[in-house]
Amino acid sequence: YESMMGISNSEEKNELLNEIKLVVISEFVQVCAVQSFELCVKDLSHSYFTLAELKPILMERPQLCQLFAQNLSDQISRRLLQSSVPTATLLYSYLQVFKALTFLDASSKTLKQTVLSKLVGTLRDRLDMTKIFLYALFNLSAYDIALIDDAELMLDFDTLAKIHHELGSRLDFE
């Protein structure tokens, strides 16, 4: 390929290899950005290796980090920030995304602010947020909740259990 490309010295060869590497890295980040919701929300526990590969790239290349963050933010807006999405689902998704972003770049506020700002605002606006959080934190059963709250809440106890687990665990992948 060197003769075909007219490469005559090692400097030109290194430059070409660096360009190829940049194209491959950019394509990998673009694919991950498209799949960011699945990686960071839906299937976080199975995404560790992909996120581990992505981490140094995002830390070294702010423009690719911004691309990933914007894609994730857009997907969260489209898929979660709807009035029909239960508060428990929003809270669990927030915990998953926070965990993923902390893994990707614990020191960056920009990544978290870009992705989490709308989700946090939506959670703040939910009237049942505090109740859902406390029910999950204390792992209350339907019977316990009925004793303290006479409101007819539609609760997903599987999601509450997942929230309880996330609140009790450290920011490690299981």
Side-chain angles (χ1 to χ4, degrees), residues 111-126:
L111 187 58
K112 290 177 189 161
Q113 286 173 342
T114 300
V115 175
L116 295 175
S117 60
K118 293 178 198 169
L119 187 53
V120 168
T122 301
L123 281 169
R124 246 188 237 132
D125 292 343
R126 294 287 178 105

Side-chain angles (χ1 to χ4, degrees), residues 43-101:
D43 201 20
L44 179 62
S45 63
H46 295 101
S47 301
Y48 174 76
F49 293 111
T50 303
L51 294 176
E53 288 181 48
L54 191 58
K55 181 178 181 169
I57 296 168
L58 297 183
M59 292 177 77
E60 293 172 8
R61 294 179 173 81
Q63 73 280 9
L64 294 177
C65 182
Q66 187 59 37
L67 170 76
F68 182 84
Q70 193 58 54
N71 266 279
L72 180 55
S73 179
D74 292 347
Q75 289 183 50
I76 286 171
S77 293
R78 209 172 47 252
R79 294 171 150 189
L80 290 175
L81 304 184
Q82 312 297 324
S83 59
S84 60
V85 176
T87 303
T89 301
L90 284 175
L91 180 57
Y92 181 68
S93 298
Y94 170 82
L95 293 171
Q96 294 293 95
V97 171
F98 185 83
K99 189 176 188 179
L101 297 180

